[in-house]
Amino acid sequence: MLARLLAALTGLAFGLGLTAARAADPDPADWAAVLAAAKGQTVYFHAWGGETRINDYIAWAGGQAKARFGVEVVHVKVAETSAVVSRVLAETSAGRDRDGSVDLVWINGENFAAMKKAGLLWPTGWATRLPNWRHVDVAGKPTTVADFTVPTDGMEAPWGMAQLTFYADSARVPTPPASLDALADYARRHPGRFTYPEPPDFLGTTFLKQILVTRTADRAALARPLDPAEAEARFVPVFAYLDALHPHLWRQGKVFPANVAALRRLVADGETDIGFTFNPGDAATAVRSGELPATVRSFTLAGGTLGNTHFVAIPLNAKAKAGALVLADFLMSPEAQAAKQDPNRWGDPTVLAVDRLPEAERARFRALDLGAASLAPDALGPVLPEPHPSWTTALAAAWAQRYAVR
């Protein structure tokens, strides 16, 4: 529904001149002026609020922004980023093209593609002109400038890296499965001991895309928009795998956990053996907080797993653009990135080229103890690129049509 609405209003957004930057907008090239304008502003940061440790990290970053720059940060906790997209769309389509309710949004994938297409993002290329942009590892982490194959064009600032990573309690699963086929075989031999979050939850949809990418012979096609007429045929390998897997899932695949936290609780409670996450440091962080047993270890699949970058973006009608720029730049700083990668906080991998940082900043990352439950960055295996966002939406919809809980 959101995609259809955005498509219908794309022309309206352009017709109203909403994509034009205003003369009064802050210019990152004059950073001193940005800092001066930001002081005293309140930034309404709309970000997923489903994990306590992430909420705590955002609270810490907000405290730093207040103390250092005089910028107040209000974390507006959201369940789905698509709701934020709808809010910005509703405001701009009603003529509210300034003083909007969203100053910064945590975003990537289909939501970014939809906002970019509809002209709902501040289009000045601001992200690549922030002071800390020079530290971003564009060459080594190309998804920092291509979000699910869509060029970012400086409309969003990279915040963290993600790669699908599995984990299991080594006391129960001493030899974890190393492929999707091995995972399906494990599920057959251990009925009810594996499951995945229910799409359209992002982690559940990621599992579907891992199957799609792994089982599609023509991977180049995944980088292009999906032709709806081809969707059914394209998804045959995915549903063939799932049709065989579902009878052996937790509760016979008739009920699914809601999200990453619910999936982790099933493993922690001993109801299932294997979980997975899009944050390679997530298992280590959960072990340290006592959510998972100390014997949990992460593992990956042969051939690689899906990976991407997540970002922050400024809507076109944001009220506190200067404050949003200052917060986005701080979130991208070596200090904030090292704090975010710390398993005692969030454990989210950095977007920076650590080897190119000044020595004092490199030391922040060297001092991090990633923990026995984490895989070393060079042990995560190849990163498989995300399909074009159109595949995500269509795949989740096809899953719901086929398996939605009845």
Side-chain angles (χ1 to χ4, degrees), residues 216-286:
T216 295
D218 181 16
R219 289 191 182 179
L222 302 179
R224 301 188 292 269
L226 173 66
D227 180 347
E230 298 180 354
E232 183 175 352
R234 293 286 190 182
F235 296 158
V236 165
V238 177
F239 293 122
Y241 181 88
L242 292 177
D243 284 350
L245 178 67
H246 274 202
H248 310 295
L249 292 180
W250 176 73
R251 297 188 179 179
Q252 296 81 47
K254 296 177 181 176
V255 178
F256 295 85
N259 52 36
V260 60
L263 182 68
R264 187 168 58 239
R265 279 196 297 272
L266 289 177
V267 176
D269 293 343
E271 288 200 56
T272 58
D273 290 338
I274 297 171
F276 57 91
T277 171
F278 222 20
N279 175 0
D282 194 38
T285 303

Side-chain angles (χ1 to χ4, degrees), residues 20-99:
R22 302 184 187 91
D25 282 346
D27 180 2
D30 187 352
W31 195 243
V34 171
L35 290 173
K39 192 170 184 179
Q41 288 190 341
T42 297
V43 173
Y44 289 89
F45 182 21
H46 290 240
W48 182 65
E51 281 275 19
T52 300
R53 65 176 69 102
I54 296 176
N55 297 340
D56 289 347
Y57 176 81
I58 292 174
W60 170 82
Q64 296 300 308
K66 176 68 173 178
R68 300 181 189 202
F69 311 112
V71 175
E72 190 80 36
V73 177
V74 177
H75 179 191
V76 181
K77 299 180 178 70
V78 300
E80 296 288 344
T81 305
S82 59
V84 185
V85 180
S86 298
R87 171 176 290 198
V88 175
L89 175 61
E91 289 177 353
T92 55
S93 61
R96 187 177 174 184
D97 61 350
R98 62 182 65 200
D99 296 342

Side-chain angles (χ1 to χ4, degrees), residues 80 195-206 208 253-260 262-263 276 396 399-400 403-406:
E80 296 288 344
T195 187
Y196 61 92
E198 181 175 356
D201 169 76
F202 78 94
L203 188 61
T205 307
T206 297
L208 305 187
K254 296 177 181 176
V255 178
F256 295 85
N259 52 36
V260 60
L263 182 68
F276 57 91
W399 185 95
Y403 300 123
V405 175
R406 292 168 285 276

Side-chain angles (χ1 to χ4, degrees), residues 168-178 182 186 189-190 274 299:
D169 187 341
S170 59
R172 298 202 303 261
V173 189
T175 306
Y186 183 92
R189 291 185 290 107
H190 303 84
I274 297 171
F299 64 97

